[in-house]
Amino acid sequence: MKSERLAEVTWTPSMLFRWAGWLLGLALGGFFDGILLHQILQWHHLLSGVEGAPWTDLRAQVLADGLFHLVLYIVAIAGLWALWRTRTQYGLPGAGRSLWADVLIGFGAWHVADAVLSHWVLGIHRIRMDAANPLLWDVAWLAVFGAGALAVAFWLRRHRGGGTPRNGRAGCTALFAAVVITMAWSMRPSPEANAVLVMFKPGVAAPEALMALARIDATLLWSDASGQLWAVRPGAGHRASALYRHGAWWVSGTLVPAACLGWFKA
């Protein structure tokens, strides 16, 4: 009985509304880093700072990037669900500003946690792996997107005012649209990618992989030492997705684009 009463008190519509903002802010923070740093600038992979086998294997790096975005999709969907379930809150005074304040809290918290845990405690990557002074990039990124976002969130909380139901609904609708657009953008294949990345299943030897690639008249651009990860350019009139019938475990830009995985450049 006590646990049931606690659940009722904790998950009120107003609390769920706040959780919607926090979750969507976390997701947007992760998507922002993934799209800008992993895809467009390609300054690091999720595990670029991890040394030793099997983490230095590009297959592990590619898989980690894909799983990173998969987790973000789950967080974003949970936030969108919470936002939809609490749509009765949209018309309350100050709802729009409160929601965006919570989004910025989640966004800033993402960058604070990423800097402290990923950059300094675990050391799995830095903002710019090839920088002469990576700490400078880490601190600057944290100051702008971590502390800066939290400062704006605090300001919105203190100056949220009354607002109107129309403004609250517009703010919530804008957030919903922003998250959906960001998720869709993160899954698009790179317009500049010059290769299709193919990962074959464990046990597929290099000669078997070459035979499979020959079926799509592929031009070979690169392969890792294992012979299971290949960068190729399919021949004219051939679809890379055909490789799924010949031992491929994953092919970039097919089925689920898988975000960072589709932005590999040979």
Side-chain angles (χ1 to χ4, degrees):
M1 292 297 293
K2 290 184 178 179
S3 62
E4 291 178 1
R5 287 197 297 270
L6 179 60
E8 290 175 2
V9 172
T10 302
W11 295 109
T12 60
S14 61
M15 179 55 72
L16 191 59
F17 189 61
R18 296 201 69 178
W19 269 98
W22 295 334
L23 290 174
L24 293 176
L26 284 170
L28 286 172
F31 282 129
F32 176 77
D33 282 5
I35 290 171
L36 184 60
L37 301 179
H38 295 193
Q39 296 179 341
I40 297 176
L41 299 176
Q42 298 192 12
W43 282 355
H44 66 250
H45 291 290
L46 180 66
L47 302 179
S48 291
V50 181
E51 299 179 354
W55 310 113
T56 52
D57 190 328
L58 186 57
R59 289 174 297 172
Q61 298 284 346
V62 166
L63 180 60
D65 280 355
L67 293 175
F68 165 73
H69 270 261
L70 178 60
V71 171
L72 290 179
Y73 298 143
I74 294 172
V75 173
I77 290 171
L80 290 173
W81 174 84
L83 188 63
W84 174 255
R85 285 295 302 269
T86 56
R87 56 192 181 278
T88 56
Q89 301 288 304
Y90 297 1
L92 297 179
R97 279 185 172 241
S98 294
L99 179 62
W100 279 101
D102 290 332
V103 168
L104 287 170
I105 290 172
F107 187 91
W110 165 270
H111 286 94
V112 171
D114 186 45
V116 174
L117 294 177
S118 300
H119 302 168
W120 303 329
V121 176
L122 300 177
I124 59 176
H125 66 258
R126 308 298 287 271
I127 288 296
R128 190 163 187 176
M129 295 296 298
D130 61 350
N133 187 353
L135 179 61
L136 178 62
W137 285 90
D138 291 347
V139 172
W141 202 266
L142 173 61
V144 175
F145 299 110
L150 292 173
V152 175
F154 179 73
W155 182 86
L156 285 174
R157 279 283 175 195
R158 293 196 62 181
H159 300 85
R160 59 185 177 181
T164 66
R166 182 176 180 180
N167 291 339
R169 294 188 184 96
C172 297
T173 302
L175 175 61
F176 194 97
V179 174
V180 171
I181 291 171
T182 301
M183 292 173 66
W185 202 102
S186 74
M187 290 191 290
R188 66 190 286 267
S190 170
E192 299 178 358
N194 62 352
V196 170
L197 194 63
V198 184
M199 187 182 296
F200 286 93
K201 298 174 183 177
V204 175
E208 296 175 281
L210 286 169
M211 290 179 61
L213 295 172
R215 293 176 181 271
I216 63 168
D217 193 24
T219 300
L220 304 182
L221 302 175
W222 173 88
S223 173
D224 75 334
S226 71
Q228 292 182 321
L229 188 64
W230 301 75
V232 303
R233 185 176 294 115
H238 293 276
R239 293 182 177 274
S241 57
L243 294 171
Y244 285 113
R245 300 195 299 269
H246 305 288
W249 177 69
W250 172 79
V251 181
S252 66
T254 62
L255 299 179
V256 178
C260 301
L261 281 70
W263 285 69
F264 174 84
K265 295 181 181 179

